[in-house]
Amino acid sequence: AQRVTQPEKLLSVFKGAPVELKCNYSYSGSPELFWYVQYSRQRLQLLLRHISRESIKGFTADLNKGETSFHLKKPFAQEEDSAMYYCALNTDKLIFGTGTRLQVFP
Amino acid sequence: NAGVMQNPRHLVRRRGQEARLRCSPMKGHSHVYWYRQLPEEGLKFMVYLQKENIIDESGMPKERFSAEFPKEGPSILRIQQVVRGDSAAYFCASSPLASGSSYNEQFFGPGTRLTVL
């Protein structure tokens, strides 16, 4: 079955602390994974994709096929990082996880 | 480019009425997707359309729901005889490439929040 799991509904950290938002997937083929972000009162937007191996706004995510994971990490969280984060698997459609709300306190 | 447009942003219907949700894709995009987000859940794929064609409707409920993307005009998601369980946020996305293509980014609209009384 094709599935994306984000085990944490809410993650709260203080500014400057490291952040890791967990994402695990289930897919028999070669996965293509994304992280989408939704800031307050804004639309869902692409944050990064594993193919590009890029760092956006200080966030990185590494695909670990052995652990079937694509965790999103940032070494030092900022208040403006507070948002909903969705992990998504691209098959013939996008399959989303349930999302994790990141709260960064000052 | 104004981005993906959806209207209305909020829609209230009584049980048994019809709901029509509209989505105008980004300029140059011919691929449209509809997703539903129930409270406390992630976005669930409903349907994928190209101009005048339904490509994948595997996520659409078998009854009361239909979608179209005509040659001219926006894509329409239509829900007939709405029930309380249809209350959700409905998101539309568009992309320049076909679904499943590598490097294919979907651009999302702001969503329509449907409330069924």
Side-chain angles (χ1 to χ4, degrees):
Chain A
Q2 300 167 354
R3 188 170 58 244
V4 175
T5 304
Q6 293 181 253
E8 302 144 327
K9 279 194 173 182
L10 174 65
L11 183 62
S12 299
V13 301
F14 286 102
K15 177 183 171 182
V19 167
E20 182 178 68
L21 288 81
K22 291 184 167 48
C23 171
N24 288 90
Y25 66 91
S26 174
Y27 182 55
S28 57
S30 184
E32 183 177 356
L33 288 144
F34 303 89
W35 276 98
Y36 278 82
V37 60
Q38 187 172 27
Y39 300 102
S40 179
R41 299 191 187 87
Q42 295 186 28
R43 61 187 67 191
L44 198 65
Q45 57 187 286
L46 180 66
L47 178 63
L48 56 79
R49 68 190 95 199
H50 92 271
I51 286 180
S52 302
R53 302 183 68 82
E54 57 202 343
S55 173
I56 303 293
K57 300 184 179 182
F59 284 98
T60 59
D62 292 319
L63 177 62
N64 186 324
K65 291 186 179 180
E67 296 183 359
T68 59
S69 68
F70 188 55
H71 303 327
L72 184 67
K73 300 177 184 179
K74 185 169 182 176
F76 308 104
Q78 303 298 316
E79 288 179 69
E80 55 266 29
D81 296 329
S82 296
M84 279 294 294
Y85 291 81
Y86 295 94
C87 183
L89 171 67
N90 188 26
T91 60
D92 57 347
K93 58 179 75 73
L94 271 182
I95 299 171
F96 284 88
T98 49
T100 298
R101 180 171 297 283
L102 174 64
Q103 288 183 332
V104 182
F105 295 110
Chain B
N1 198 330
V4 178
M5 307 295 288
Q6 287 188 251
N7 68 83
R9 294 292 306 278
H10 300 275
L11 182 61
V12 179
R13 286 287 179 265
R14 295 190 182 280
R15 280 180 296 172
Q17 291 184 319
E18 178 180 287
R20 280 184 178 241
L21 288 64
R22 294 175 183 76
C23 169
S24 296
M26 286 182 69
K27 189 176 180 180
H29 289 191
S30 58
H31 304 271
V32 166
Y33 315 78
W34 285 94
Y35 297 84
R36 176 165 66 174
Q37 185 175 35
L38 295 169
E40 304 298 318
E41 295 187 18
L43 284 78
K44 294 279 176 61
F45 167 81
M46 299 182 74
V47 63
Y48 162 42
L49 311 101
Q50 292 182 36
K51 283 285 187 181
E52 301 185 274
N53 289 303
I54 297 174
I55 306 302
D56 182 349
E57 56 182 349
S58 58
M60 287 275 272
K62 300 249 184 298
E63 298 177 347
R64 302 187 296 106
F65 284 72
S66 62
E68 62 177 15
F69 187 17
K71 188 177 180 182
E72 301 291 337
S75 175
I76 307 284
L77 179 67
R78 183 181 176 207
I79 312 172
Q80 296 178 288
Q81 299 174 313
V82 295
V83 300
R84 288 224 172 104
D86 297 332
S87 295
Y90 292 82
F91 291 91
C92 169
S94 73
S95 69
L97 304 175
S99 180
S101 302
S102 294
Y103 292 92
N104 187 30
E105 180 177 349
Q106 292 187 20
F107 294 82
F108 282 79
T112 294
R113 190 162 298 279
L114 172 66
T115 302
V116 179
L117 301 177

